[in-house]
PDB file of all heavy atoms in Angstrom:
ATOM      1  N   PRO A   1       0.811  -1.155   0.010  1.00  0.00           N
ATOM      2  CA  PRO A   1      -0.015  -0.004   0.019  1.00  0.00           C
ATOM      3  C   PRO A   1       0.919   1.269   0.036  1.00  0.00           C
ATOM      4  O   PRO A   1       2.009   1.213   0.511  1.00  0.00           O
ATOM      5  CB  PRO A   1      -0.850  -0.085   1.302  1.00  0.00           C
ATOM      6  CG  PRO A   1      -0.141  -1.200   2.085  1.00  0.00           C
ATOM      7  CD  PRO A   1       0.714  -1.949   1.187  1.00  0.00           C
ATOM      8  N   PRO A   2       0.395   2.334  -0.600  1.00  0.00           N
ATOM      9  CA  PRO A   2       1.269   3.518  -0.600  1.00  0.00           C
ATOM     10  C   PRO A   2       1.454   4.088   0.796  1.00  0.00           C
ATOM     11  O   PRO A   2       0.558   4.073   1.600  1.00  0.00           O
ATOM     12  CB  PRO A   2       0.357   4.537  -1.418  1.00  0.00           C
ATOM     13  CG  PRO A   2      -1.013   3.976  -1.531  1.00  0.00           C
ATOM     14  CD  PRO A   2      -0.878   2.505  -1.211  1.00  0.00           C
ATOM     15  N   ALA A   3       2.676   4.544   1.024  1.00  0.00           N
ATOM     16  CA  ALA A   3       2.973   5.044   2.356  1.00  0.00           C
ATOM     17  C   ALA A   3       2.386   6.464   2.522  1.00  0.00           C
ATOM     18  O   ALA A   3       2.116   6.924   3.628  1.00  0.00           O
ATOM     19  CB  ALA A   3       4.525   5.137   2.550  1.00  0.00           C
ATOM     20  N   GLU A   4       2.250   7.156   1.376  1.00  0.00           N
ATOM     21  CA  GLU A   4       1.715   8.552   1.430  1.00  0.00           C
ATOM     22  C   GLU A   4       0.265   8.538   1.795  1.00  0.00           C
ATOM     23  O   GLU A   4      -0.523   7.584   1.501  1.00  0.00           O
ATOM     24  CB  GLU A   4       1.806   9.220   0.044  1.00  0.00           C
ATOM     25  CG  GLU A   4       3.257   9.345  -0.445  1.00  0.00           C
ATOM     26  CD  GLU A   4       3.161   9.922  -1.821  1.00  0.00           C
ATOM     27  OE1 GLU A   4       2.802  11.093  -1.933  1.00  0.00           O
ATOM     28  OE2 GLU A   4       3.511   9.229  -2.803  1.00  0.00           O
ATOM     29  N   ARG A   5      -0.182   9.595   2.411  1.00  0.00           N
ATOM     30  CA  ARG A   5      -1.610   9.778   2.721  1.00  0.00           C
ATOM     31  C   ARG A   5      -1.966  11.242   2.555  1.00  0.00           C
ATOM     32  O   ARG A   5      -1.098  12.090   2.657  1.00  0.00           O
ATOM     33  CB  ARG A   5      -1.955   9.422   4.160  1.00  0.00           C
ATOM     34  CG  ARG A   5      -1.752   7.920   4.502  1.00  0.00           C
ATOM     35  CD  ARG A   5      -2.814   7.097   3.885  1.00  0.00           C
ATOM     36  NE  ARG A   5      -2.625   5.695   4.203  1.00  0.00           N
ATOM     37  CZ  ARG A   5      -2.946   4.719   3.455  1.00  0.00           C
ATOM     38  NH1 ARG A   5      -3.482   4.968   2.288  1.00  0.00           N
ATOM     39  NH2 ARG A   5      -2.748   3.485   3.794  1.00  0.00           N
ATOM     40  N   GLY A   6      -3.190  11.521   2.141  1.00  0.00           N
ATOM     41  CA  GLY A   6      -3.646  12.895   1.994  1.00  0.00           C
ATOM     42  C   GLY A   6      -3.151  13.625   0.709  1.00  0.00           C
ATOM     43  O   GLY A   6      -3.342  14.811   0.593  1.00  0.00           O
ATOM     44  N   THR A   7      -2.620  12.829  -0.184  1.00  0.00           N
ATOM     45  CA  THR A   7      -2.165  13.505  -1.516  1.00  0.00           C
ATOM     46  C   THR A   7      -3.337  13.404  -2.525  1.00  0.00           C
ATOM     47  O   THR A   7      -4.292  12.634  -2.316  1.00  0.00           O
ATOM     48  CB  THR A   7      -0.930  12.893  -2.042  1.00  0.00           C
ATOM     49  OG1 THR A   7      -1.137  11.570  -2.361  1.00  0.00           O
ATOM     50  CG2 THR A   7       0.236  12.972  -0.974  1.00  0.00           C
ATOM     51  N   GLU A   8      -3.168  14.070  -3.599  1.00  0.00           N
ATOM     52  CA  GLU A   8      -4.193  14.080  -4.638  1.00  0.00           C
ATOM     53  C   GLU A   8      -4.078  12.835  -5.582  1.00  0.00           C
ATOM     54  O   GLU A   8      -4.985  12.526  -6.276  1.00  0.00           O
ATOM     55  CB  GLU A   8      -4.069  15.358  -5.440  1.00  0.00           C
ATOM     56  CG  GLU A   8      -4.436  16.600  -4.736  1.00  0.00           C
ATOM     57  CD  GLU A   8      -5.818  16.575  -4.092  1.00  0.00           C
ATOM     58  OE1 GLU A   8      -6.789  16.472  -4.838  1.00  0.00           O
ATOM     59  OE2 GLU A   8      -5.912  16.696  -2.889  1.00  0.00           O
ATOM     60  N   ARG A   9      -2.910  12.164  -5.534  1.00  0.00           N
ATOM     61  CA  ARG A   9      -2.676  11.043  -6.410  1.00  0.00           C
ATOM     62  C   ARG A   9      -1.785  10.034  -5.693  1.00  0.00           C
ATOM     63  O   ARG A   9      -0.695  10.401  -5.190  1.00  0.00           O
ATOM     64  CB  ARG A   9      -1.975  11.495  -7.688  1.00  0.00           C
ATOM     65  CG  ARG A   9      -1.810  10.360  -8.747  1.00  0.00           C
ATOM     66  CD  ARG A   9      -1.165  10.991  -9.962  1.00  0.00           C
ATOM     67  NE  ARG A   9      -1.016   9.959 -11.058  1.00  0.00           N
ATOM     68  CZ  ARG A   9      -0.163   8.960 -11.122  1.00  0.00           C
ATOM     69  NH1 ARG A   9       0.800   8.903 -10.188  1.00  0.00           N
ATOM     70  NH2 ARG A   9      -0.108   8.113 -12.103  1.00  0.00           N
ATOM     71  N   LEU A  10      -2.210   8.810  -5.680  1.00  0.00           N
ATOM     72  CA  LEU A  10      -1.451   7.722  -5.082  1.00  0.00           C
ATOM     73  C   LEU A  10      -1.158   6.627  -6.186  1.00  0.00           C
ATOM     74  O   LEU A  10      -2.044   6.501  -7.052  1.00  0.00           O
ATOM     75  CB  LEU A  10      -2.186   7.062  -3.911  1.00  0.00           C
ATOM     76  CG  LEU A  10      -2.468   7.950  -2.755  1.00  0.00           C
ATOM     77  CD1 LEU A  10      -3.403   7.264  -1.751  1.00  0.00           C
ATOM     78  CD2 LEU A  10      -1.194   8.425  -2.068  1.00  0.00           C
ATOM     79  N   GLU A  11      -0.095   5.915  -6.106  1.00  0.00           N
ATOM     80  CA  GLU A  11       0.174   4.829  -7.079  1.00  0.00           C
ATOM     81  C   GLU A  11       0.713   3.588  -6.384  1.00  0.00           C
ATOM     82  O   GLU A  11       1.425   3.705  -5.359  1.00  0.00           O
ATOM     83  CB  GLU A  11       1.266   5.414  -8.039  1.00  0.00           C
ATOM     84  CG  GLU A  11       1.469   4.480  -9.247  1.00  0.00           C
ATOM     85  CD  GLU A  11       2.345   5.038 -10.323  1.00  0.00           C
ATOM     86  OE1 GLU A  11       2.136   6.232 -10.651  1.00  0.00           O
ATOM     87  OE2 GLU A  11       3.166   4.277 -10.875  1.00  0.00           O
ATOM     88  N   ILE A  12       0.301   2.485  -6.962  1.00  0.00           N
ATOM     89  CA  ILE A  12       0.828   1.197  -6.455  1.00  0.00           C
ATOM     90  C   ILE A  12       1.371   0.368  -7.691  1.00  0.00           C
ATOM     91  O   ILE A  12       1.027   0.620  -8.779  1.00  0.00           O
ATOM     92  CB  ILE A  12      -0.273   0.348  -5.759  1.00  0.00           C
ATOM     93  CG1 ILE A  12      -1.375  -0.008  -6.757  1.00  0.00           C
ATOM     94  CG2 ILE A  12      -0.781   1.043  -4.528  1.00  0.00           C
ATOM     95  CD1 ILE A  12      -2.370  -1.028  -6.198  1.00  0.00           C
ATOM     96  N   THR A  13       2.281  -0.508  -7.331  1.00  0.00           N
ATOM     97  CA  THR A  13       2.856  -1.422  -8.305  1.00  0.00           C
ATOM     98  C   THR A  13       2.802  -2.799  -7.790  1.00  0.00           C
ATOM     99  O   THR A  13       3.376  -3.096  -6.666  1.00  0.00           O
ATOM    100  CB  THR A  13       4.345  -1.057  -8.706  1.00  0.00           C
ATOM    101  OG1 THR A  13       4.387   0.291  -9.165  1.00  0.00           O
ATOM    102  CG2 THR A  13       4.877  -2.031  -9.770  1.00  0.00           C
ATOM    103  N   ALA A  14       2.151  -3.678  -8.439  1.00  0.00           N
ATOM    104  CA  ALA A  14       1.962  -5.082  -7.981  1.00  0.00           C
ATOM    105  C   ALA A  14       3.227  -5.887  -8.361  1.00  0.00           C
ATOM    106  O   ALA A  14       3.943  -5.510  -9.263  1.00  0.00           O
ATOM    107  CB  ALA A  14       0.698  -5.724  -8.611  1.00  0.00           C
ATOM    108  N   PRO A  15       3.427  -7.089  -7.682  1.00  0.00           N
ATOM    109  CA  PRO A  15       4.655  -7.837  -7.982  1.00  0.00           C
ATOM    110  C   PRO A  15       4.739  -8.273  -9.448  1.00  0.00           C
ATOM    111  O   PRO A  15       5.889  -8.369  -9.981  1.00  0.00           O
ATOM    112  CB  PRO A  15       4.458  -9.086  -7.060  1.00  0.00           C
ATOM    113  CG  PRO A  15       3.651  -8.574  -5.944  1.00  0.00           C
ATOM    114  CD  PRO A  15       2.722  -7.521  -6.541  1.00  0.00           C
ATOM    115  N   GLY A  16       3.604  -8.474 -10.142  1.00  0.00           N
ATOM    116  CA  GLY A  16       3.653  -8.811 -11.511  1.00  0.00           C
ATOM    117  C   GLY A  16       3.905  -7.664 -12.503  1.00  0.00           C
ATOM    118  O   GLY A  16       3.932  -7.819 -13.725  1.00  0.00           O
ATOM    119  N   GLY A  17       3.947  -6.469 -11.979  1.00  0.00           N
ATOM    120  CA  GLY A  17       4.258  -5.289 -12.788  1.00  0.00           C
ATOM    121  C   GLY A  17       3.069  -4.422 -13.068  1.00  0.00           C
ATOM    122  O   GLY A  17       3.185  -3.357 -13.628  1.00  0.00           O
ATOM    123  N   THR A  18       1.894  -4.849 -12.663  1.00  0.00           N
ATOM    124  CA  THR A  18       0.690  -3.996 -12.876  1.00  0.00           C
ATOM    125  C   THR A  18       0.807  -2.693 -12.051  1.00  0.00           C
ATOM    126  O   THR A  18       1.152  -2.730 -10.835  1.00  0.00           O
ATOM    127  CB  THR A  18      -0.577  -4.756 -12.422  1.00  0.00           C
ATOM    128  OG1 THR A  18      -0.723  -5.904 -13.204  1.00  0.00           O
ATOM    129  CG2 THR A  18      -1.841  -3.868 -12.614  1.00  0.00           C
ATOM    130  N   ARG A  19       0.548  -1.584 -12.730  1.00  0.00           N
ATOM    131  CA  ARG A  19       0.652  -0.270 -12.035  1.00  0.00           C
ATOM    132  C   ARG A  19      -0.721   0.391 -12.113  1.00  0.00           C
ATOM    133  O   ARG A  19      -1.327   0.411 -13.152  1.00  0.00           O
ATOM    134  CB  ARG A  19       1.721   0.586 -12.733  1.00  0.00           C
ATOM    135  CG  ARG A  19       3.104   0.128 -12.510  1.00  0.00           C
ATOM    136  CD  ARG A  19       4.183   0.874 -13.230  1.00  0.00           C
ATOM    137  NE  ARG A  19       4.269   2.242 -12.799  1.00  0.00           N
ATOM    138  CZ  ARG A  19       5.133   3.129 -13.236  1.00  0.00           C
ATOM    139  NH1 ARG A  19       5.949   2.764 -14.193  1.00  0.00           N
ATOM    140  NH2 ARG A  19       5.134   4.359 -12.796  1.00  0.00           N
ATOM    141  N   MET A  20      -1.143   0.923 -10.926  1.00  0.00           N
ATOM    142  CA  MET A  20      -2.377   1.630 -10.913  1.00  0.00           C
ATOM    143  C   MET A  20      -2.147   2.909 -10.129  1.00  0.00           C
ATOM    144  O   MET A  20      -1.356   2.948  -9.163  1.00  0.00           O
ATOM    145  CB  MET A  20      -3.449   0.754 -10.177  1.00  0.00           C
ATOM    146  CG  MET A  20      -3.859  -0.463 -10.956  1.00  0.00           C
ATOM    147  SD  MET A  20      -5.142  -1.390 -10.135  1.00  0.00           S
ATOM    148  CE  MET A  20      -6.545  -0.308 -10.483  1.00  0.00           C
ATOM    149  N   ALA A  21      -2.913   3.920 -10.481  1.00  0.00           N
ATOM    150  CA  ALA A  21      -2.944   5.205  -9.790  1.00  0.00           C
ATOM    151  C   ALA A  21      -4.322   5.552  -9.384  1.00  0.00           C
ATOM    152  O   ALA A  21      -5.295   5.119 -10.025  1.00  0.00           O
ATOM    153  CB  ALA A  21      -2.334   6.281 -10.656  1.00  0.00           C
ATOM    154  N   PHE A  22      -4.496   6.372  -8.333  1.00  0.00           N
ATOM    155  CA  PHE A  22      -5.768   6.715  -7.855  1.00  0.00           C
ATOM    156  C   PHE A  22      -5.718   8.268  -7.587  1.00  0.00           C
ATOM    157  O   PHE A  22      -4.948   8.698  -6.795  1.00  0.00           O
ATOM    158  CB  PHE A  22      -6.099   5.923  -6.529  1.00  0.00           C
ATOM    159  CG  PHE A  22      -5.874   4.531  -6.704  1.00  0.00           C
ATOM    160  CD1 PHE A  22      -4.622   3.908  -6.401  1.00  0.00           C
ATOM    161  CD2 PHE A  22      -6.879   3.734  -7.254  1.00  0.00           C
ATOM    162  CE1 PHE A  22      -4.403   2.546  -6.658  1.00  0.00           C
ATOM    163  CE2 PHE A  22      -6.594   2.363  -7.482  1.00  0.00           C
ATOM    164  CZ  PHE A  22      -5.417   1.805  -7.197  1.00  0.00           C
ATOM    165  N   ARG A  23      -6.589   8.975  -8.341  1.00  0.00           N
ATOM    166  CA  ARG A  23      -6.507  10.422  -8.350  1.00  0.00           C
ATOM    167  C   ARG A  23      -7.786  10.968  -7.612  1.00  0.00           C
ATOM    168  O   ARG A  23      -8.953  10.518  -7.972  1.00  0.00           O
ATOM    169  CB  ARG A  23      -6.478  10.947  -9.777  1.00  0.00           C
ATOM    170  CG  ARG A  23      -6.232  12.468  -9.866  1.00  0.00           C
ATOM    171  CD  ARG A  23      -6.176  12.911 -11.273  1.00  0.00           C
ATOM    172  NE  ARG A  23      -7.516  12.890 -11.913  1.00  0.00           N
ATOM    173  CZ  ARG A  23      -8.403  13.812 -11.838  1.00  0.00           C
ATOM    174  NH1 ARG A  23      -8.172  14.866 -11.195  1.00  0.00           N
ATOM    175  NH2 ARG A  23      -9.576  13.718 -12.474  1.00  0.00           N
ATOM    176  N   ARG A  24      -7.570  11.903  -6.697  1.00  0.00           N
ATOM    177  CA  ARG A  24      -8.680  12.494  -5.968  1.00  0.00           C
ATOM    178  C   ARG A  24      -9.533  13.301  -6.865  1.00  0.00           C
ATOM    179  O   ARG A  24      -9.003  14.261  -7.540  1.00  0.00           O
ATOM    180  CB  ARG A  24      -8.209  13.322  -4.820  1.00  0.00           C
ATOM    181  CG  ARG A  24      -9.303  13.711  -3.819  1.00  0.00           C
ATOM    182  CD  ARG A  24      -8.737  14.546  -2.632  1.00  0.00           C
ATOM    183  NE  ARG A  24      -7.687  13.908  -1.942  1.00  0.00           N
ATOM    184  CZ  ARG A  24      -7.746  12.851  -1.110  1.00  0.00           C
ATOM    185  NH1 ARG A  24      -8.969  12.331  -0.790  1.00  0.00           N
ATOM    186  NH2 ARG A  24      -6.696  12.283  -0.509  1.00  0.00           N
ATOM    187  N   ASP A  25     -10.838  13.039  -6.918  1.00  0.00           N
ATOM    188  CA  ASP A  25     -11.856  13.884  -7.621  1.00  0.00           C
ATOM    189  C   ASP A  25     -13.038  13.924  -6.723  1.00  0.00           C
ATOM    190  O   ASP A  25     -13.795  12.937  -6.608  1.00  0.00           O
ATOM    191  CB  ASP A  25     -12.181  13.168  -8.929  1.00  0.00           C
ATOM    192  CG  ASP A  25     -13.204  13.895  -9.767  1.00  0.00           C
ATOM    193  OD1 ASP A  25     -13.749  14.870  -9.215  1.00  0.00           O
ATOM    194  OD2 ASP A  25     -13.502  13.487 -10.885  1.00  0.00           O
ATOM    195  N   HIS A  26     -13.244  15.061  -6.076  1.00  0.00           N
ATOM    196  CA  HIS A  26     -14.340  15.251  -5.169  1.00  0.00           C
ATOM    197  C   HIS A  26     -15.745  15.099  -5.784  1.00  0.00           C
ATOM    198  O   HIS A  26     -16.669  14.764  -5.136  1.00  0.00           O
ATOM    199  CB  HIS A  26     -14.234  16.585  -4.443  1.00  0.00           C
ATOM    200  CG  HIS A  26     -12.982  16.687  -3.640  1.00  0.00           C
ATOM    201  ND1 HIS A  26     -12.852  16.021  -2.469  1.00  0.00           N
ATOM    202  CD2 HIS A  26     -11.870  17.382  -3.819  1.00  0.00           C
ATOM    203  CE1 HIS A  26     -11.640  16.294  -1.917  1.00  0.00           C
ATOM    204  NE2 HIS A  26     -10.988  17.079  -2.732  1.00  0.00           N
ATOM    205  N   GLY A  27     -15.805  15.236  -7.122  1.00  0.00           N
ATOM    206  CA  GLY A  27     -17.100  15.039  -7.829  1.00  0.00           C
ATOM    207  C   GLY A  27     -17.239  13.672  -8.537  1.00  0.00           C
ATOM    208  O   GLY A  27     -18.143  13.523  -9.315  1.00  0.00           O
TER     209      GLY A  27
END
């Protein structure tokens, strides 16, 4: 899990190489 908290964008990378990002959108 990402160590950062409270940012507008978080990213993870799975052991198989899959990369995902999560961007804050209040709407």
Side-chain angles (χ1 to χ4, degrees):
E4 301 177 64
R5 296 287 182 212
T7 64
E8 296 301 301
R9 185 179 184 281
L10 299 172
E11 189 171 317
I12 62 170
T13 302
T18 299
R19 292 174 64 178
M20 294 183 73
F22 309 93
R23 189 181 70 86
R24 189 177 311 280
D25 177 354
H26 296 287

